[in-house]
Amino acid sequence: MIDKKAFITGAAKGLGRATAVALSASGYKTILTDIDPVTLAETKKIIEDAGGSASTYLLDVSDKKQIESVLIQAIKDEKKIDAFINNAGIGGVMAPFHEMKDEDWDNVIAVNLSSVFYCLKYQLKILLDQGGGNIVNVASLAGKKGVPLGCHYSASKHGVIGLTKTAAVEYGSRNIRVNAICPSFIETDIIEAVPKPLLEFVANFRVPLKRLGRPEEVANAIKFMLSDDSSYMNGHSLVLDGGMDAG
Ligand code: NAI
């Protein structure tokens, strides 16, 4: 079993919860953060009921002051944090460029992209002080492709990959690895906004494995990216899409 600590944003449900559960099962203490206190407490209970250990902090990642203060508090409480998973994100209101509302653009960029910059800014300082560690940013296949009606989402995830690569080249020599994961459609609440017929088309005709992904499959990939089994992986954006992008 691993005796390490992992800090996760957006850990109340979906991919964040699945990642927290998977890391806890392999021996990590999990430091869970989210904007939603009710579902955050549920994730903590799931982990504790399974014999794991978790602490929680309320954190709205669109607020840079909160990011700074929660990270300062978390490292004070935990003394050492080995891994950070910057996962919190939103889909945003879909619209073509010429009808995209400024506030919808600003909101998606704040929650999905600026948040990752501010998280990295303070997390990398912590890892420098500790002498090393590991970060996984949750980007998307949309960070490698255009998304019809989703210019804000696609731009934010392209930006996350850029931040990941830059952090990897700046900090690799300091025993810090930074990678991104790029899932396609995974069965969580975020895809509820996607029309059902489109999801069925994707599963049946675009994904060679003939199904959407499961949160546990993303969690297992993140667990691998944080482990020593991926010790030479740095600055990478790992696509997890059932083969969708291969054809
Ligand atoms: P989800 O909607 O199930 O969970 C998102 C979590 O983030 C929730 O717990 C929510 O409360 C939290 N959150 C939202 N805004 C927040 C904020 N301002 N501050 C802190 N927490 C906030 O969605 P899912 O699928 O688990 O998404 C997680 C990440 O995975 C996101 O970054 C998303 O863009 C990315 N992703 C998801 C894919 C999918 O198909 N499910 C595909 C590719 C990427």
Side-chain angles (χ1 to χ4, degrees), residues 10-16 34-36 59-62 87-90 111-112 138-141 153 157 183-186 188-191:
K13 59 179 181 149
L15 304 187
D34 203 281
I35 201 172
D36 179 349
L59 171 57
D60 178 348
V61 296
S62 68
N87 160 78
I90 54 172
V111 177
N112 290 7
V138 179
S140 169
L141 190 59
Y153 188 78
K157 296 301 187 178
S184 58
F185 291 105
I186 312 295
T188 70
D189 290 354
I190 210 172
I191 62 168

